[in-house]
Amino acid sequence: MTHPFSFSAPLQLDSRALEDCIGLDQRCLNGFWSARQWQQELSEAGRLCLGSWAEAGERRLVGLSSGWLVAGELQLMLLLVDPHWRRQGLGTRLLNALFNAAAEQGCEGVSLEVAASNGAARSLYEKLGFTTSAKRRGYYRNGDDALLQYLNMCDCKSRTDNRPD
């Protein structure tokens, strides 16, 4: 579904966005994280959480990306895009903003886990340059395997610096 209006540039979220994050989590993952987990994600040091809002009509959080800064690496925790806002580049925009924020804090790589059956996410991560480094068999409750993926942001930057505008 395309929309006649756009979403905001990704902004750092804080505890004022708690209810909005819980709502987006409900729409995307049926409440994967508890309110307490969201509060920690939005307030603890070493965590980045960026969100985009619908810019017209009802003000609504339509996407977010979050990660933890650990030992010079960003561990991607969540990428959520409202089901009505998917396939418009919002996920890529959120991830790039998160990667840039992490790079500003000295991170050189990004790691993540993705369900082997999540073709849409795997396609996005592949497009961004992630490679699979390992597999955890039966990792998820439903028995699905987790693929461990990694992106060296230095390699990514060198690939994109020479692209024409």
Side-chain angles (χ1 to χ4, degrees):
M1 168 187 251
T2 59
H3 296 275
F5 48 90
S6 62
F7 41 82
S8 70
L11 303 169
Q12 179 68 40
L13 300 176
D14 59 27
S15 60
R16 293 173 293 184
L18 176 63
E19 293 303 319
D20 296 297
C21 291
I22 292 170
L24 181 61
D25 184 3
Q26 282 292 330
R27 293 190 305 278
C28 295
L29 299 174
N30 296 316
F32 185 71
W33 280 358
S34 69
R36 182 175 172 270
Q37 287 171 301
W38 275 112
Q39 184 61 46
Q40 289 175 317
E41 196 68 12
L42 295 169
S43 62
E44 288 191 8
R47 298 188 185 193
L48 295 172
C49 192
L50 306 178
S52 289
W53 305 84
E55 291 188 337
E58 174 188 356
R59 184 174 191 269
R60 184 176 185 158
L61 184 65
V62 294
L64 70 79
S65 58
S66 71
W68 299 356
L69 304 170
V70 179
E73 182 177 293
L74 174 68
Q75 294 179 354
L76 182 63
M77 299 307 294
L78 278 177
L79 173 64
L80 301 177
V81 176
D82 186 295
H84 298 293
W85 286 83
R86 291 180 181 157
R87 304 201 53 83
Q88 298 182 59
L90 180 56
T92 300
R93 191 172 181 185
L94 286 161
L95 286 175
N96 284 330
L98 188 69
F99 298 166
N100 287 335
E104 288 173 5
Q105 296 194 37
C107 290
E108 296 180 357
V110 183
S111 62
L112 62 85
E113 294 175 355
V114 61
S117 64
N118 189 342
R122 290 179 56 203
S123 177
L124 172 61
Y125 299 142
E126 182 179 332
K127 180 178 86 173
L128 292 171
F130 281 86
T131 57
T132 299
S133 57
K135 180 189 293 190
R136 290 187 177 148
R137 297 198 184 280
Y139 180 76
Y140 294 103
R141 284 185 206 142
N142 66 359
D144 203 359
D145 296 338
L147 302 178
L148 306 178
Q149 297 196 322
Y150 186 78
L151 172 70
N152 182 323
M153 290 195 293
C154 295
D155 290 346
C156 181
K157 182 172 174 31
S158 67
R159 284 197 312 268
T160 59
D161 280 347
N162 297 326
R163 287 186 183 168
D165 290 335

